[in-house]
Amino acid sequence: MSIVFRIATDADNHQGPVAVITARQLAAFRAFLRAESIRANTVLLAPDAADDAFLSYRFEARVCPLALASVARIFDFDTAVISVLEEAQFRVRRVSVYRDEGAGTINMRVALTSDLGVELDLASGNAFALLESLGLNPDSVGEMAIAAMRKRLANPAIKRRIAAEGLADYVERLDRLLATADSDETSRLEWA
């Protein structure tokens, strides 16, 4: 079992835009992402498993490095898709593509994952050790204001405890995650 540390905002508490796409558009989108990944020498599609039918219907994609018009063209400039893409780019998030078995549709929406994917996914034991070293209760679910977490990370006593417990690498990754919180004043650190 693992615990994921991520930046959450008030916008995460709302449904947000959802677009229904076709299987043809899905295939074209995946092909486009693969080609752009090669061209830009960066990973845009995660996970990318062409032979796995489940993964081809459930994945996240980076759209922030891409021009909105070039992606929207794949979906025939559908306004629902454009709404999802704009929201993802505005919030610096990935898009999530998934199959809704109940409705039998393929949907796209804004993902909870940041565009750069800097979320911190730790095994429960490591996550509890990190929380304890930060002077927090080792609960599997929690949240904290960004400013309060930055203050803890700047505390010399906490820095020494983190170093003594060999958790400095996690703190560096946590710092990178916290740096993504500056785009929205409602940002907070959540773990679950």
Side-chain angles (χ1 to χ4, degrees):
M1 187 156 171
S2 67
I3 295 175
V4 177
F5 293 81
R6 70 178 196 86
I7 301 299
T9 67
D10 286 352
D12 295 333
N13 299 332
H14 306 291
Q15 171 66 27
V18 176
V20 176
I21 62 174
T22 67
R24 178 189 61 79
Q25 291 170 331
L26 173 66
F29 185 45
R30 290 177 65 85
F32 174 78
L33 291 170
R34 287 186 186 111
E36 287 299 303
S37 291
I38 293 167
R39 185 191 63 75
N41 194 30
T42 188
V43 176
L44 297 175
L45 181 62
D48 186 9
D51 298 331
D52 189 333
F54 174 76
L55 291 179
S56 66
Y57 284 112
R58 183 167 298 279
F59 63 91
E60 290 186 352
R62 293 184 62 200
V63 294
C64 292
L66 304 171
L68 178 64
S70 66
V71 181
R73 180 180 25 177
I74 296 165
F75 302 97
D76 301 319
F77 299 98
D78 179 277
T79 55
V81 171
I82 291 172
S83 294
V84 171
L85 296 172
E86 282 181 328
E87 181 79 9
Q89 289 184 338
F90 177 75
R91 294 180 54 206
V92 193
R93 298 282 179 96
R94 295 178 181 190
V95 294
S96 175
V97 175
Y98 59 96
R99 185 173 188 89
D100 182 343
E101 297 298 334
T105 59
I106 304 168
N107 297 346
M108 176 189 288
R109 67 176 308 195
V110 178
L112 294 176
T113 308
S114 64
D115 178 64
L116 294 174
V118 292
E119 286 70 19
L120 189 58
D121 188 353
L122 300 176
S124 296
N126 294 339
F128 293 150
L130 177 62
L131 289 168
E132 286 176 344
S133 71
L134 291 167
L136 299 169
N137 289 330
D139 296 326
S140 58
V141 177
E143 70 178 31
M144 177 175 249
I146 300 299
M149 181 55 76
R150 287 181 174 151
K151 185 176 179 180
R152 283 182 186 272
L153 292 172
N155 182 320
I158 289 178
K159 282 183 175 181
R160 283 191 299 275
R161 185 171 43 222
I162 288 169
E165 294 179 17
L167 301 171
D169 182 51
Y170 295 148
V171 172
E172 288 176 23
R173 292 172 55 197
L174 190 56
D175 278 335
R176 284 195 301 269
L177 176 62
L178 293 174
T180 67
D182 296 332
S183 62
D184 189 326
E185 61 189 37
T186 67
S187 294
R188 61 194 176 276
L189 178 67
E190 283 187 350
W191 57 93

